[in-house]
Amino acid sequence: MASGPEGTVFGPVDLDLYPGELCIVTGDEGSGKSAFLLTLSGRFRGATGDLTICGIDALARPYEAIQNTAVARLGNYVLPEDRLTVTESISERAYLDGISLAEAERRAAQMEEILGFRIERGAEIEQLDPVTRIVGATALVALRPARVIVVDDVDAAVPHADQVAMYQYLIKLAQFNGAAIVCTAINGDTVPKGVLRVRLASRRRSYVHAYTDHEPAEMTVVDTDPVISADPLLDTDTGTVIVTRTGEN
């Protein structure tokens, strides 16, 4: 779990994740989903409790733990650069992760074969459809094998009708890489059966309360015609009639 000056950020959560497993984390805005992802990737210092990644105490040895994790997307802070082409994105990722370009291309081709489609190398990231952008971002950080991959807001820009296919692609990537892929989502109604789901409790105070009126409203039904009121401002016939009913202002 994690706490801050204003109270609990998220948790407590008791969770076991296994290689090749997809986990979807849902919760209201402010429930700590992004902080939870950072914790699972060994990048959040405010967490307490026990976190073990590949046998490593990730809270005590975070720099060692993050060698086994990757962040594919986190809000507007971590995500592929829109104006880079797919080729440039692969080259950049290879440089950042310290692997050869040949190895990165080999891994990319393997994942495309598993997914069943190939992304045009000359296309810019911003030109890709929403599903391909999410799947592609996940594949990019998997060019260097990681055991835990986290992806924030996977369904934020993906049409509802395409979300099932997106999750199926993410399952294939998890199984191919032997990684636990953990995603946050706005809701989980399109998550396939068998996928692990975690819902974080909302920590925000509600300022909206149900309105109840135990006294019946008074209503008078009259049979007479409504009263046509004269208005001194309407000194000419404008075709406007002002109608009032008993009890109304």
Side-chain angles (χ1 to χ4, degrees), residues 36-38 40-41 70-74 141 148-152 180-183:
F36 183 59
L37 289 190
L38 285 175
L40 293 185
S41 64
V71 179
R73 172 173 170 158
L74 189 76
V141 299
V148 179
I149 299 175
V150 298
V151 194
D152 202 13
I181 297 181
V182 189
C183 308

Side-chain angles (χ1 to χ4, degrees), residues 8-9 28 31 47 51 55 79 95 98 127 131 146 151 191 211 235 238:
T8 301
V9 178
D28 298 334
S31 58
L51 175 63
L79 70 168
Y95 174 77
Q127 295 175 319
V131 171
V151 194
V191 177
Y211 177 77
D235 52 1
T238 62

Side-chain angles (χ1 to χ4, degrees), residues 39 43 84 91 113 120 144 151 173 188 202 204 213 220 228 234:
T39 299
R43 292 166 170 81
L84 292 182
S91 299
E113 183 177 355
E120 184 180 333
R144 174 185 65 83
V151 194
L173 284 180
S202 175
R204 300 183 64 181
D213 187 356
T220 302
I228 300 178
L234 299 178

Side-chain angles (χ1 to χ4, degrees), residues 87-197:
T87 295
E88 292 168 339
S89 298
I90 292 174
S91 299
E92 180 189 54
R93 198 71 242 176
Y95 174 77
L96 293 174
D97 287 337
I99 60 176
S100 69
L101 182 57
E103 174 65 12
E105 286 286 2
R106 184 186 69 82
R107 290 271 299 168
Q110 287 180 329
M111 284 185 278
E112 287 176 327
E113 183 177 355
I114 293 297
L115 293 171
F117 64 85
R118 186 178 186 277
I119 305 174
E120 184 180 333
R121 293 294 187 264
E124 294 182 354
I125 296 298
E126 66 178 1
Q127 295 175 319
L128 304 178
D129 63 86
V131 171
T132 305
R133 292 188 70 168
I134 288 292
V135 176
T138 307
L140 278 173
V141 299
L143 294 176
R144 174 185 65 83
R147 304 303 298 275
V148 179
I149 299 175
V150 298
V151 194
D152 202 13
D153 294 332
V154 290
D155 60 347
V158 177
H160 192 271
D162 297 333
Q163 290 176 14
V164 172
M166 175 190 67
Y167 287 126
Q168 295 293 350
Y169 288 136
L170 292 175
I171 290 172
K172 289 181 179 181
L173 284 180
Q175 293 173 346
F176 170 74
N177 289 287
I181 297 181
V182 189
C183 308
T184 64
I186 298 172
N187 58 67
D189 60 341
T190 59
V191 177
K193 291 184 178 180
V195 173
L196 181 63
R197 305 185 193 191

Side-chain angles (χ1 to χ4, degrees), residues 37-61:
L37 289 190
L38 285 175
T39 299
L40 293 185
S41 64
R43 292 166 170 81
F44 190 77
R45 293 177 177 268
T48 59
D50 299 308
L51 175 63
T52 304
I53 300 176
C54 300
I56 301 170
D57 185 342
L59 297 186
R61 297 147 58 194

